[in-house]
Amino acid sequence: MGVQVESVESEAARAVNAALTGSFVAGVCFVALTWTTTQAKSVRSASPWQTDPYDVVVSFTEFVVPAMLLLMALRMLLWRTGRHRSQPAFRAAQLVRAATATTGLVAVTVASDWIAVVVGANHAVWTKPTTPVLIGALAVLTAATAAGLMVQRKAVRQLLPDRSHDGDWLDDIEPLATRLWGGRAVVGPVCYRSITAFIRRHDIAVPAAAAMAAGTAIAGLQAHGEKWTDPTLVLFAVVVATSGFFGMAMLVNHLIVFIAPASPLNRKGRAVRAAVTAAALGIPAAVGVRATLFYLLGGVIGHTPSGLLLLVTGCGVIVGTLTFAVGMASARS
């Protein structure tokens, strides 16, 4: 198991527990607010952050944050059951990283919402008492997020040196599955090693496939709910959703080491990963500022579904190319 930390009752482990608690408090508050403001039409209609570019942020974090909370909750089953014995150091470090990343995603969304409030976005549809209540709830979420980041910063300091790259989350799947199945092995050790080795060899393809499945499902539900008939518009929604989820997955994986590469990355490998992540995140970012981009292009691209698709994919390619070039250049210096 590599380097161990003290039992879950040690001082460092208590800092880990505090970091996890802070993340769950902020995350649950976030889910309650965002799902209310996105799913309740009467509430959404009075929300300052109901339109892009603010809405494009929450369109992804409202799904990613609950998923992160679920993953942490599952891994915490191993963490809490080991309260009287030592734990792998990478498990503690990765849990803190996951807690920090989750709260960070909440913080990004909170910042976006506050910008909408400050600039008076959609002010014409603000109503009393709905809008003031939403702003008050945002203030509560802000306080919970700030508190979470503070305790997580303390946990990071107490876990130095960082051992998060000594293993990955896949290392805990077998013992977790055994625990969930009442102590019985779900698959044989050879099968488990084959599955995890395959995932590590395809650490870009696996998140891409998962993102494609999630993006297609979300876009399909949206197309059905809004009764879209234009296939190009549906394709546009699939591309944006898939790119956003894939970019988020790659970024989060870099931070919390859910899947470690099968072999150490060279300069080009690191640049490629940075480029595909930036390109994927650049596509939904372009959606958020599409009005400005259309204005700057001066009518070169039409305001049609095909024009939108061309605009956002073009931005993704440009962002990815620039990121790759910067990554290769910085590695040489």
Side-chain angles (χ1 to χ4, degrees):
M1 295 291 285
V3 178
Q4 306 285 302
V5 297
E6 297 177 61
S7 71
V8 179
E9 295 178 344
S10 69
E11 182 179 355
R14 283 193 292 271
V16 176
N17 294 335
L20 292 168
T21 300
S23 182
F24 273 92
V25 170
V28 169
C29 292
F30 169 81
V31 170
L33 178 61
T34 55
W35 280 79
T36 300
T37 56
T38 56
Q39 303 304 313
K41 293 183 178 179
S42 60
V43 177
R44 180 180 176 81
S45 63
S47 166
W49 48 85
Q50 63 178 281
T51 56
D52 291 334
Y54 320 104
D55 185 59
V56 74
V57 178
V58 75
S59 296
F60 293 100
T61 55
E62 70 175 321
F63 296 106
V64 176
V65 169
M68 291 287 290
L69 293 177
L70 175 61
L71 289 173
M72 285 194 295
L74 288 172
R75 208 177 194 198
M76 283 170 63
L77 292 175
L78 294 176
W79 174 253
R80 297 304 301 170
T81 53
R83 60 184 301 119
H84 299 300
R85 62 178 185 271
S86 61
Q87 297 263 349
F90 73 83
R91 181 183 295 161
Q94 289 170 1
L95 278 170
V96 171
R97 277 180 168 239
T100 306
T102 303
T103 311
L105 290 173
V106 174
V108 169
T109 312
V110 166
S112 173
D113 291 349
W114 275 120
I115 291 172
V117 173
V118 171
V119 303
N122 305 297
H123 193 272
V125 299
W126 292 17
T127 62
K128 291 182 180 181
T130 304
T131 305
V133 169
L134 288 177
I135 295 174
L138 181 62
V140 173
L141 176 58
T142 303
T145 303
L149 290 174
M150 288 176 62
V151 296
Q152 286 149 16
R153 182 170 179 266
K154 179 181 178 181
V156 168
R157 290 169 125 181
Q158 289 191 273
L159 283 174
L160 292 177
D162 188 357
R163 313 294 306 194
S164 57
H165 290 275
D166 288 356
D168 60 16
W169 287 52
L170 297 178
D171 287 320
D172 276 351
I173 290 180
E174 185 178 30
L176 176 60
T178 301
R179 169 169 169 71
L180 292 175
W181 263 260
R184 299 188 303 275
V186 181
V187 297
V190 175
C191 182
Y192 166 76
R193 285 194 295 271
S194 298
I195 293 172
T196 54
F198 175 85
I199 295 174
R200 289 181 179 123
R201 285 196 308 270
H202 301 87
D203 60 312
I204 293 181
V206 170
M212 174 65 79
T216 302
I218 296 298
L221 290 173
Q222 184 179 12
H224 176 75
E226 299 186 17
K227 297 180 172 58
W228 290 346
T229 57
D230 188 336
T232 307
L233 184 58
V234 176
L235 176 61
F236 166 76
V238 170
V239 169
V240 173
T242 299
S243 298
F245 285 129
F246 174 68
M248 286 274 190
M250 291 294 290
L251 182 60
V252 168
N253 187 55
H254 175 72
L255 295 172
I256 72 172
V257 200
F258 186 77
I259 305 172
S263 57
L265 298 176
N266 56 22
R267 178 182 64 190
K268 184 177 180 181
R270 291 190 295 270
V272 167
R273 279 164 173 73
V276 296
T277 302
L281 293 175
I283 288 177
V287 173
V289 295
R290 62 188 181 277
T292 302
L293 293 174
F294 274 125
Y295 173 78
L296 292 174
L297 289 172
V300 175
I301 299 177
H303 291 245
T304 61
S306 57
L308 273 172
L309 186 60
L310 179 60
L311 177 71
V312 299
T313 53
C315 287
V317 170
I318 292 171
V319 170
T321 302
L322 290 175
T323 303
F324 179 77
V326 170
M328 292 298 289
S330 61
R332 293 192 190 98
S333 59

